[in-house]
Amino acid sequence: MPSKAAGTGQILILLALCAGLAASPDNSANICDRERSRAARAVLRQHVLPMTAKADHQLTEQCPFHPLRDTYGMQDAARHKHRGIQWKCGFCGKIFRTEAFLDQHMDKNHKNEKHPSADVCLADLCEMLHCDHFVQGHGSNFKSFQQRTAPCRPKLKGQLKHHCQDIADACFPIANGKEAALMHEYFVEHFCEAHTCNRKEQLARLETVAQLGSEHRVWGYRILVGLLMLFMVLLYAGIWAYMQYYMGQTRSDLRTVSKASAWSKIMRKTKAY
């Protein structure tokens, strides 16, 4: 009897532990994926924020794209390449062999280093922003992204499109003027409407986004090259002006010396007579 009672007690304890584990919240579900957050941030910086600046539209903190709401924005800004292959923490100065070790260090020691308004996990917006297309198709360094071959689900695409349109309304309210209306049209047409099972239409819309981003970068390079050329021209003109001034001064000094020498000869001849 005692052995049966002990066995029954052990079984009850195991059942209670299992029930407790089942009832405990899944902490992993609350973790924001750093790599997908970086991918979403890259899409925003390459294809959304430049167009926003071009349209002269200012994002408010009501928009989840606002940099101050980025959960990992401040932490990722403190990640620095060190001596080629190493990584350095901008908060404490420690050096790490790989980016993954630095991420673990950030999670362990600097997870509270963020702006008070930082409440958006950009990884949650990655699918809505078509990260897999832009990261996979344009030579990114995000190695963990894999080409998705799962069949398209119209219901999921509809939910993503609806979410995308809600974000467009929050970030680019049409009532805020022409600039916001232009951005709203751009974002809905190229990002939201690309959530479709029509693969040809999807690729056409996303490739247009990529081309616009490339044009923006090309113009940036052209401006940089133009400024560099202007600097070189001004530098050359400055050197030329200095040389002209210096040579002019030298010639003037030579003429003065020649005149003085001539007068000294005349005076010596006069004294000789």
Side-chain angles (χ1 to χ4, degrees), residues 34 75 91 102-111:
R34 282 185 180 272
Q75 294 176 30
F91 294 122
L102 176 56
D103 286 345
Q104 293 174 9
H105 169 76
M106 288 287 186
D107 287 333
K108 183 178 180 181
N109 299 283
H110 305 298
K111 62 182 179 181

Side-chain angles (χ1 to χ4, degrees), residues 66-193:
H66 195 287
L68 295 182
R69 295 189 63 184
D70 182 354
T71 296
Y72 293 138
M74 186 179 293
Q75 294 176 30
D76 280 0
R79 297 160 61 255
H80 308 294
K81 273 287 188 72
H82 182 72
R83 295 180 180 176
I85 60 173
Q86 295 179 323
W87 289 84
K88 182 177 181 179
C89 175
F91 294 122
C92 63
K94 288 186 178 180
I95 308 298
F96 299 89
R97 289 180 297 172
T98 66
E99 187 179 18
F101 287 149
L102 176 56
D103 286 345
Q104 293 174 9
H105 169 76
M106 288 287 186
D107 287 333
K108 183 178 180 181
N109 299 283
H110 305 298
K111 62 182 179 181
N112 294 324
E113 296 287 352
K114 57 184 179 180
H115 193 272
S117 301
D119 60 351
V120 174
C121 174
L122 291 182
D124 296 339
L125 305 178
C126 213
E127 190 169 9
M128 187 272 294
L129 290 169
H130 306 278
C131 289
D132 295 278
H133 172 84
F134 291 112
V135 169
Q136 186 75 17
H138 295 88
S140 175
N141 293 323
F142 297 97
K143 303 299 184 184
S144 68
F145 280 75
Q146 302 294 329
Q147 189 69 34
R148 298 189 176 186
T149 57
C152 182
R153 293 183 289 169
K155 184 176 180 180
L156 176 60
K157 291 293 184 181
Q159 293 172 347
L160 288 170
K161 182 184 291 188
H162 182 72
H163 183 209
C164 182
Q165 290 170 342
D166 287 342
I167 289 181
D169 293 339
C171 294
F172 319 112
I174 297 177
N176 283 12
K178 181 180 178 181
E179 296 81 5
L182 286 172
M183 274 306 302
H184 189 281
E185 180 182 0
Y186 164 79
F187 191 78
V188 169
E189 180 178 349
H190 294 99
F191 283 88
C192 302
E193 293 299 328

Side-chain angles (χ1 to χ4, degrees), residues 193-206:
E193 293 299 328
H195 287 292
T196 173
C197 287
N198 185 330
R199 184 65 175 164
K200 184 177 180 180
E201 178 185 352
Q202 181 189 50
L203 290 177
R205 292 182 184 278
L206 296 179

